Amino acid sequence: MCVTKKITIIIVLISCDTIYVFLSDPGWTSINRGVLICDECCSVHRSLGRHISIVKHLRHSGWPPALLQMVQTLASNGANSIWEHSLLDPAQVQSGRRKPNPQDKVHPTKSEFIRAKYQMLAFVHKLPCRDDDGVTTKDLSKQLHSSVRTGSLETCLRLLSLGAQANFFHPEKGTTPLHVAAKAGQILQAELLVVYGADPGAPDINGRTPMDYARQAGHIELAERLVECQYELTDRLAFYLCGRRPDHKNGHYIIPQMADSLDLSELAKAAKKKLQALNNRLFEELAMDVYDEVDRRENDAVWLTTQNHSTLVTERSAVPFLPVNPEYSATRNQGRQKLARFNAREFATLIIDILSDAKRRQQGKGLSSPTDPLDLGIDDDQHDYDSVASDEDTDSELTTQNNNNTMDSSDLSDGPITLQEYLEVKKALASSEAKVQQLMKVNNNLSEELRRLQKEILLLCFQVSKPEKHGSGTDSDYDNTQTYDLSLRSDSRQGRGESEEGGGGEAGEPDPTLPCTEDVILKTEQVTKNIQELLRAAQEFKHDSFVPCSEKIHSAVTEMASLFPKRPALDAVHCSLRLLASSASRLQVECRKAAPSEPGAPAVDYQLLTQQVIQCAYDIAKAAKQLVTITTREKKQ
């Protein structure tokens, strides 16, 4: 698929939970978190469940082009910093709060960190409370409603991470955020909203859907994509069985047929009648659970084709059944886990019945009153689990479970089954396992750490050269509500701080002692240019270039600092200048260690030295970005 091959070119920043790894061929992604993840972290992400992290393989899974572009855009623009906001504060490093190192064990060190990061949201940015009731979900949702018409995916993801509702209905505008994104032609924003649960068929105050908005605005591609999103569940189920999706121009459903579909057992007939008698709410819940099970089985198949089989049996890397979702009842969670015990034929029969009944229900061919929840064809006297299993549990039948997930292609009249194709790929890869192992060792720890920090610095440099612009508010689709500062800031104060001498002036007035923004940006560009020269030297292992590069950086930092007053009125400026100066000094000290040592002196650990040098460079770039942000904000007041 050309889109997935393109990923090797367009991805420039990969956010892993333990380290940034610059690869030409990345592995997995968490779609709703906007980050790319390594194989190690993937197993932990999957164990969290789709309600926490929606995991997908970049090469072995089918990708709608717009969805892939959305993930790439978030990953390359530092979405990982949203989930690690507080860890970027230097004070957290001094307090011992840090990310796990690459050499740390997956369990418990890395897994506990990933759970804290994505399940507990322990490191996300906390907005300051206002004088009244604080920042409410409604406030955040209104801002999301305004922001989705722009191209700033990171801003919208940050709002969603704080609790903004993707299906928020604006009481004054009479629309949802998806209506606004559709009207503006923001296809990537629409993808993000749908991932977070936005309904493509939701009506506005006049009964028009986001698809209607897109068509009326001439965004035909977006309108067609929204139709696909509306039928994502049934499309995914059909593709799982027969490898085809409907075109939605000649019909919205493809219903595969079993070769002996007329020869149904009495148990199957009874189960089908119960499914047809479910009310719409219970039917939708069952369909969503089966969709999650399809996703689990497909990811399991991909995992088997891409992993080193010798480590698969020793690592806690498998997901033998759907993880517990605490928002669901115990009964529903038990039913979800029972789906894993269906063999391929039983599971295919259930999917076909769901597809058939979904089509019937949409066409309005109703049945009589609803009955009890569906009996999934397993005797209640033979419980699969005595209680709802924990996502920490393991299953000794894991290796045999995946072998039961295949089905003879002759059972389907519509074509080959996807899992069979996966198993064929698995067999081919198994014959070249030695080559796979060799490729897995291409990136050593030094190059990983170097490229991680290099990309972070380049991202900061890009943000410095393009300071945030605030809209004029003249467009009717924008709210006149308060805009909350979602940028990364080291200062705890909002607005203008008081002068150390007590003469800070009135709140809200610009600080006349600050230099003009253009001068600050000009000096910052010189700093970042010198940093990039240092990074190239580090990447090429030219350690003898460290000292001259650090001297250039120190000189540029001194010139930049001279633009600001010696006793700045704002605490934020003071802190940033202090970080800038101290980091430049530390950089010089570290770089001098790379100079040729005297005979008999201890050998230099260049791997550790390079990590320290690049960390100092990152701190300098971060401080420079903070100064540009503060100056821009103050001058606009």
Side-chain angles (χ1 to χ4, degrees):
M1 177 178 225
C2 61
V3 175
T4 54
K5 290 181 179 178
K6 188 178 178 183
I7 197 75
T8 62
I9 301 175
I10 59 178
I11 294 285
V12 296
L13 178 66
I14 299 177
S15 328
C16 184
D17 292 304
T18 58
I19 189 168
Y20 286 74
V21 186
F22 186 77
L23 299 171
S24 62
D25 196 12
W28 301 81
T29 179
S30 174
I31 297 176
N32 57 323
R33 304 302 181 179
V35 300
L36 305 185
I37 51 181
C38 65
D39 288 346
E40 263 192 351
C41 298
C42 168
S43 62
V44 183
H45 276 259
R46 290 192 60 210
S47 71
L48 298 178
R50 282 175 52 85
H51 57 288
I52 302 296
S53 184
I54 303 174
V55 177
K56 195 177 183 73
H57 198 275
L58 284 168
R59 292 177 292 107
H60 291 268
S61 300
W63 279 93
L67 182 61
L68 178 62
Q69 187 180 356
M70 184 270 288
V71 171
Q72 178 268 327
T73 301
L74 286 173
S76 62
N77 284 279
N80 194 54
S81 64
I82 294 175
W83 314 108
E84 294 184 358
H85 174 83
S86 64
L87 295 181
L88 299 178
D89 186 351
Q92 297 293 338
V93 178
Q94 296 175 1
S95 67
R97 198 176 189 183
R98 63 168 183 85
K99 297 173 64 171
N101 291 318
Q103 63 269 21
D104 289 337
K105 293 183 178 180
V106 177
H107 299 286
T109 307
K110 292 179 181 178
S111 61
E112 289 179 355
F113 173 79
I114 293 173
R115 291 180 186 278
K117 178 178 175 181
Y118 295 114
Q119 191 169 24
M120 308 306 295
L121 301 180
F123 314 123
V124 298
H125 180 54
K126 303 299 190 298
L127 289 177
C129 293
R130 301 182 305 190
D131 294 336
D132 48 12
D133 295 331
V135 180
T136 65
T137 299
K138 184 177 181 181
D139 296 328
L140 295 167
S141 300
K142 282 188 173 182
Q143 190 173 349
L144 177 68
H145 190 277
S146 295
S147 299
V148 293
R149 64 167 299 151
T150 72
S152 180
L153 282 176
E154 313 90 82
T155 298
C156 294
L157 180 61
R158 194 181 298 275
L159 288 165
L160 290 165
S161 75
L162 294 170
Q165 299 299 303
N167 272 319
F168 172 72
F169 187 85
H170 200 296
E172 290 84 24
K173 308 286 185 181
T175 56
T176 69
L178 194 54
H179 286 93
V180 177
K183 181 179 179 181
Q186 293 289 347
I187 189 169
L188 302 188
Q189 295 283 22
E191 293 284 354
L192 180 61
L193 290 170
V194 170
V195 166
Y196 273 82
D199 182 5
D204 69 355
I205 195 171
N206 297 314
R208 294 183 300 168
T209 66
M211 286 93 79
D212 296 329
Y213 274 65
R215 291 192 185 96
Q216 292 170 5
H219 307 303
I220 305 303
E221 180 184 356
L222 174 54
E224 292 176 350
R225 175 60 185 148
L226 288 174
V227 172
E228 293 176 356
C229 291
Q230 187 175 19
Y231 290 92
E232 162 64 18
L233 190 151
T234 51
D235 283 4
R236 178 77 176 274
L237 299 187
F239 188 83
Y240 173 76
L241 289 185
C242 65
R244 295 192 293 115
R245 303 176 189 270
D247 59 12
H248 299 291
K249 296 177 181 178
N250 302 310
H252 296 301
Y253 296 93
I254 290 179
I255 303 177
Q257 297 296 319
M258 302 291 288
D260 54 354
S261 57
L262 298 179
D263 184 20
L264 295 179
S265 66
E266 291 302 319
L267 182 61
K269 291 178 181 179
K272 186 172 183 177
K273 289 181 180 178
K274 286 191 175 184
L275 183 146
Q276 292 176 341
L278 288 175
N279 62 36
N280 287 336
R281 180 183 65 82
L282 291 176
F283 177 78
E284 289 174 359
E285 289 181 356
L286 173 63
M288 288 188 292
D289 294 344
V290 171
Y291 177 96
D292 288 350
E293 175 63 14
V294 165
D295 183 79
R296 186 195 69 82
R297 293 190 182 205
E298 287 187 337
N299 277 337
D300 266 359
V302 173
W303 182 266
L304 287 173
T305 68
T306 58
Q307 299 308 299
N308 182 349
H309 294 189
S310 62
T311 62
L312 194 64
V313 295
T314 59
E315 295 289 338
R316 298 171 59 190
S317 57
V319 182
F321 47 78
L322 289 175
V324 173
N325 186 335
E327 296 183 2
Y328 297 161
S329 66
T331 301
R332 183 176 179 185
N333 275 311
Q334 285 181 334
R336 285 164 57 85
Q337 293 176 347
K338 287 181 179 181
L339 289 172
R341 300 303 296 270
F342 278 48
N343 62 36
R345 185 175 183 78
E346 292 168 343
F347 193 53
T349 302
L350 176 59
I351 291 176
I352 291 172
D353 288 346
I354 289 176
L355 289 171
S356 301
D357 212 51
K359 182 178 181 179
R360 176 188 64 79
R361 289 170 188 258
Q362 189 191 51
Q363 294 174 345
K365 299 177 181 179
L367 292 177
S368 56
S369 60
T371 184
D372 296 331
L374 177 68
D375 181 353
L376 294 179
I378 298 179
D379 190 349
D380 288 338
D381 293 334
Q382 298 177 354
H383 295 291
D384 296 315
Y385 306 97
D386 294 333
S387 60
V388 178
S390 167
D391 54 7
E392 294 288 346
D393 293 341
T394 57
D395 193 328
S396 60
E397 298 179 357
L398 168 65
T399 55
T400 58
Q401 167 65 38
N402 290 285
N403 293 331
N404 292 331
N405 286 344
T406 60
M407 181 166 53
D408 191 338
S409 59
S410 62
D411 289 340
L412 298 175
S413 60
D414 291 74
I417 185 169
T418 306
L419 281 178
Q420 184 63 39
E421 296 176 357
Y422 283 145
L423 291 176
E424 291 175 359
V425 175
K426 170 190 171 183
K427 183 178 180 180
L429 287 178
S431 63
S432 58
E433 185 172 345
K435 182 177 180 181
V436 174
Q437 292 176 345
Q438 182 180 3
L439 292 175
M440 292 172 65
K441 298 178 181 178
V442 170
N443 288 324
N444 56 40
N445 292 339
L446 174 59
S447 61
E448 291 175 351
E449 183 71 8
L450 169 63
R451 288 161 178 166
R452 171 182 79 85
L453 291 168
Q454 181 182 18
K455 295 307 167 183
E456 285 189 348
I457 293 173
L458 291 177
L459 178 61
L460 282 174
C461 296
F462 176 78
Q463 293 172 337
V464 167
S465 62
K466 291 187 176 182
E468 293 183 2
K469 297 180 180 179
H470 300 280
S472 60
T474 57
D475 199 306
S476 60
D477 280 342
Y478 277 99
D479 295 317
N480 293 322
T481 55
Q482 177 182 357
T483 300
Y484 304 102
D485 184 9
L486 297 176
S487 61
L488 301 179
R489 300 177 58 184
S490 62
D491 58 313
S492 60
R493 299 186 181 184
Q494 299 296 319
R496 178 176 162 76
E498 298 180 358
S499 169
E500 293 181 1
E501 301 295 331
E506 297 181 3
E509 294 182 356
D511 188 346
T513 65
L514 290 179
C516 67
T517 305
E518 290 75 12
D519 290 343
V520 177
I521 292 178
L522 184 63
K523 295 298 182 183
T524 301
E525 288 176 348
Q526 185 61 43
V527 172
T528 55
K529 179 181 178 181
N530 293 329
I531 288 176
Q532 290 172 1
E533 182 180 349
L534 173 65
L535 291 176
R536 284 192 294 270
Q539 190 171 20
E540 297 170 3
F541 302 100
K542 296 180 178 178
H543 302 111
D544 55 344
S545 299
F546 280 12
V547 172
C549 287
S550 67
E551 291 175 350
K552 291 180 182 179
I553 294 172
H554 189 273
S555 176
V557 164
T558 302
E559 292 180 8
M560 181 176 181
S562 66
L563 297 175
F564 293 84
K566 292 184 178 181
R567 299 177 64 87
L570 292 176
D571 285 347
V573 174
H574 177 71
C575 292
S576 296
L577 287 172
R578 184 171 56 186
L579 176 62
L580 188 70
S582 62
S583 299
S585 297
R586 283 194 301 114
L587 178 64
Q588 282 192 307
V589 173
E590 294 295 337
C591 286
R592 291 192 187 106
K593 297 178 182 179
S597 56
E598 297 179 357
V604 178
D605 185 348
Y606 284 107
Q607 176 173 339
L608 177 60
L609 174 62
T610 303
Q611 292 175 349
Q612 296 296 329
V613 166
I614 299 178
Q615 184 62 55
C616 292
Y618 171 73
D619 290 340
I620 293 172
K622 178 181 178 181
K625 181 214 170 184
Q626 291 172 348
L627 289 171
V628 172
T629 302
I630 296 169
T631 305
T632 303
R633 183 177 66 242
E634 289 295 318
K635 290 300 182 181
K636 286 185 177 181
Q637 290 185 0

